[in-house]
Amino acid sequence: YYVRIDFAGFEKIIDDLDGVKVDVARSFTDFQYPTNDFKYQVVSFEAGIQTMDGETALKYVRSRHGNNGEGSDFARGERQQKVLQAVKDRVFSYRFLLSPRKINNISESLASHLKTDFEPWELIKLAKIAEDIDMNSLISKTLDDSPGGLLYPDIVNKAYVLQPRGGDFSQIQ
């Protein structure tokens, strides 16, 4: 299954939530962030907790060439997870749940910017399953090649690959 939201929808949903609070782990600058006219712009983020609007959050999750350890796909994936968690926190807050206008705005944005291959009955079933999940017991892991990560980089047949530490997948399983 897939769920896909376009960039405009991503920005609008975050703006409809009045932004999201994100803890930027370390400051970084990306001197090659793409613009709509096929040029580049510079984007920078300072370490610390920030409330990001939709445009800022999109730049934060899309940046691919940041310095200070933020230029890898792994770092980008971690930033994306942080923003998704921040969106979830906002959506499940009392402030949002008690605002019919905000719920309606988000619903409209999803309808026009989201694509999925879930059938409606499957989404209803998934929502019922999600009600029983203890969000505090969820564990989120990122597979990466950091010093404490579960993977290490290697060259195999002249190709750059990531191998599991320990020689097998037992740690990952």
Side-chain angles (χ1 to χ4, degrees):
Y1 295 100
Y2 73 90
V3 176
R4 182 183 73 205
I5 188 164
D6 62 32
F7 292 153
F10 178 90
E11 287 185 23
K12 182 159 182 3
I13 287 169
I14 290 177
D15 288 341
D16 288 344
L17 292 169
D18 298 324
V20 290
K21 288 192 187 299
V22 179
D23 187 2
V24 176
R26 54 187 170 253
S27 301
F28 71 94
T29 300
D30 181 346
F31 295 94
Q32 297 179 25
Y33 187 83
T35 61
N36 291 335
D37 59 356
F38 304 103
K39 296 181 181 174
Y40 295 109
Q41 66 178 310
V42 176
V43 295
S44 293
F45 295 92
E46 294 298 319
I49 296 174
Q50 303 171 34
T51 299
M52 295 183 182
D53 63 10
E55 179 182 0
T56 304
L58 184 62
K59 289 176 180 176
Y60 181 69
V61 301
R62 286 191 65 209
S63 173
R64 292 179 176 266
H65 303 286
N67 60 4
N68 199 24
E70 290 293 326
S72 73
D73 282 339
F74 297 123
R76 186 170 55 102
E78 286 182 35
R79 292 194 306 272
Q80 291 169 354
Q81 288 180 11
K82 280 185 180 188
V83 171
L84 288 174
Q85 180 65 41
V87 168
K88 180 193 74 74
D89 291 346
R90 262 308 193 218
V91 166
F92 288 108
S93 70
Y94 288 115
R95 184 173 153 206
F96 175 78
L97 294 173
L98 295 176
S99 174
R101 180 186 58 80
K102 286 182 189 269
I103 292 171
N104 186 56
N105 288 347
I106 295 285
S107 296
E108 288 176 3
S109 293
L110 288 173
S112 58
H113 294 281
L114 183 124
K115 299 240 186 283
T116 184
D117 63 348
F118 276 103
E119 295 294 331
W121 68 268
E122 291 172 311
L123 287 172
I124 293 168
K125 187 173 181 179
L126 186 61
K128 288 182 181 180
I129 292 170
E131 287 176 357
D132 295 331
I133 296 173
D134 176 8
M135 299 308 256
N136 295 321
S137 68
L138 290 180
I139 299 170
S140 177
K141 297 284 186 184
T142 302
L143 298 178
D144 65 15
D145 63 348
S146 66
L150 297 172
L151 304 171
Y152 71 92
D154 196 6
I155 303 295
V156 176
N157 297 327
K158 299 182 184 178
Y160 179 88
V161 296
L162 295 171
Q163 302 277 15
R165 292 198 193 274
D168 61 29
F169 291 92
S170 61
Q171 291 181 27
I172 293 172
Q173 293 170 342

